[in-house]
Amino acid sequence: YYGMEVHGFNPCSVQCLEDYGCCCLGNINLTAFVVDEFSDKARIDWRNLEKALRYTTRFLDNVLDYNSDKHPLEEQRKASMWSRRIGVGFTGFADMLIKLNLKYDSPQSVKMVDKLFERIKNICYDESSNLAVEKGPAPAFVAEKHLSRPFVQRLEHSVKEKIAAQGIRNSCVLTVPPVGSGAILAGTTSGIEPIFALSYVRKSKSLTGAEFKVFHPLVQQYIKRFQLKNGEADLPNTFVTAHSIKPDFRVQMQGTIQRHIDSSISSTVNIAKEATVQDVKDIYVKAWKAGCKGITVYREGAREGILLTNEEAASQKGGSSKPHKF
């Protein structure tokens, strides 16, 4: 999708924008790039994932040009053309891990994810440099300054040499938006979030205000494929949910991915309604120390929401209507 935000941060804090800067973002569904899923041979389909990464980089660069005369303000057009900022993003991350037989909150996942996004980073930067040859580098590009940045310094030597020789088309290339509605449409987990719940209650925003029990699509797929007699109870422990993952690990995972994302990451740490102010403070401090550019904390029951766990939905029906103290 294409969105625009003037000044400062994108609403989901995934883009640290210059004045009049715009968001030009698109997302790759990582869960679609696993072959031999759930088996001992499960692996990333790198041939097709690399193709998707290169195509997405090119596509978003084309979107900048397509929209250049559609900005409300001339300052916005100039900013988008000056930096040529794009955001190759991702969704379906947690479902991908499950298909690879990896538990989200495990050292093995962190190790694999570090290598995954390092390779993704280099592919996208390589393609943006290819575009610089074909169409010219971003007007804002200054080789000495760009190559001196810590993030660029961590690129593969061959990619840095290419950028030094021929420039880069886009001043920023990568991001991780929340991909909320897009993930629902694709039937997968959103952004780099874990599964929120194996099943949950969704409240309709329509006048009816009806409630619906929804099963996570991969849960349904797994139960049907392996004919689990006891349904959710027989799922392997790789089907870990957001509320069962320790906040410290969520910070560690986001910090690991942030090393390979030049813009920022939208990610929400879900914590229990009993959490204290100090608990929240600790998460933010640890995120800062881990190198995260931003992080969100949601305390269960903090607001009358659209998305509820089964437990919280039951407590709201049968419990007090008084707000929780925080």
Side-chain angles (χ1 to χ4, degrees), residues 22-288:
C22 75
C23 298
C24 181
L25 316 177
N27 306 291
I28 294 173
N29 183 6
L30 292 172
T31 191
F33 298 94
V34 179
V35 292
D36 293 328
E37 58 191 32
F38 307 121
S39 75
D40 293 337
K41 298 180 180 179
R43 62 197 184 280
I44 300 291
D45 179 5
W46 273 109
R47 183 178 69 86
N48 285 310
L49 178 54
E50 179 169 345
K51 185 184 297 184
L53 290 165
R54 292 186 184 276
Y55 282 179
T56 303
T57 303
R58 287 177 171 271
F59 170 76
L60 293 176
D61 187 70
N62 287 339
V63 170
L64 286 175
D65 292 326
Y66 177 83
N67 282 301
S68 65
D69 62 348
K70 297 176 176 61
H71 296 281
L73 301 175
E74 175 62 14
E75 290 89 346
Q76 294 168 330
R77 185 194 69 79
K78 288 181 178 179
S80 69
M81 294 293 99
W82 174 254
S83 63
R84 301 199 65 87
R85 182 192 301 271
I86 62 172
V88 177
F90 309 92
T91 195
F93 172 76
D95 281 349
M96 175 200 68
L97 291 179
I98 293 170
K99 286 185 174 184
L100 291 169
N101 300 313
L102 290 170
K103 192 169 179 281
Y104 191 109
D105 54 340
S106 68
Q108 293 83 1
S109 286
V110 173
K111 186 176 180 180
M112 189 283 292
V113 166
D114 192 21
K115 294 180 179 178
L116 170 71
F117 278 94
E118 181 176 29
R119 189 167 176 181
I120 285 172
K121 168 184 67 181
N122 282 287
I123 290 170
C124 291
Y125 262 74
D126 182 81
E127 193 61 24
S128 183
S129 189
N130 290 341
L131 281 169
V133 174
E134 299 173 26
K135 301 180 179 182
F141 174 74
V142 178
E144 184 178 355
K145 289 184 178 180
H146 204 82
L147 289 164
S148 69
R149 306 311 302 156
F151 182 88
V152 178
Q153 282 292 308
R154 293 197 296 269
L155 293 171
E156 290 179 356
H157 182 68
S158 60
V159 178
K160 288 189 289 185
E161 282 191 327
K162 180 181 282 191
I163 294 172
Q166 58 197 39
I168 196 165
R169 178 72 169 169
N170 312 100
S171 62
C172 282
V173 182
L174 298 152
T175 192
V176 182
V179 204
S181 56
I184 293 172
L185 183 64
T188 190
T189 48
S190 60
I192 62 164
E193 307 288 356
I195 295 176
F196 177 77
L198 302 179
S199 63
Y200 55 87
V201 175
R202 180 170 288 277
K203 286 186 177 181
S204 171
K205 287 185 177 181
S206 67
L207 294 176
T208 64
E211 295 181 354
F212 307 90
K213 185 174 182 179
V214 181
F215 289 93
H216 182 65
L218 193 64
V219 171
Q220 284 186 316
Q221 178 186 336
Y222 193 94
I223 290 173
K224 183 177 180 180
R225 177 170 174 175
F226 294 98
Q227 299 180 341
L228 303 185
K229 293 181 179 180
N230 298 314
E232 297 173 46
D234 287 342
L235 290 170
N237 69 353
T238 50
F239 282 85
V240 63
T241 58
H243 291 80
S244 64
I245 299 174
K246 293 181 179 180
D248 285 2
F249 193 91
R250 290 294 307 277
V251 172
Q252 181 186 356
M253 179 65 84
Q254 185 177 335
T256 298
I257 298 172
Q258 183 67 79
R259 281 179 49 83
H260 308 296
I261 301 295
D262 51 14
S263 291
S264 190
I265 297 172
S266 175
S267 185
T268 301
V269 178
N270 298 93
I271 57 176
K273 63 183 179 182
E274 294 81 16
T276 65
V277 172
Q278 185 62 45
D279 292 333
V280 175
K281 177 183 176 181
D282 289 344
I283 293 171
Y284 278 103
V285 171
K286 288 173 182 176
W288 171 66

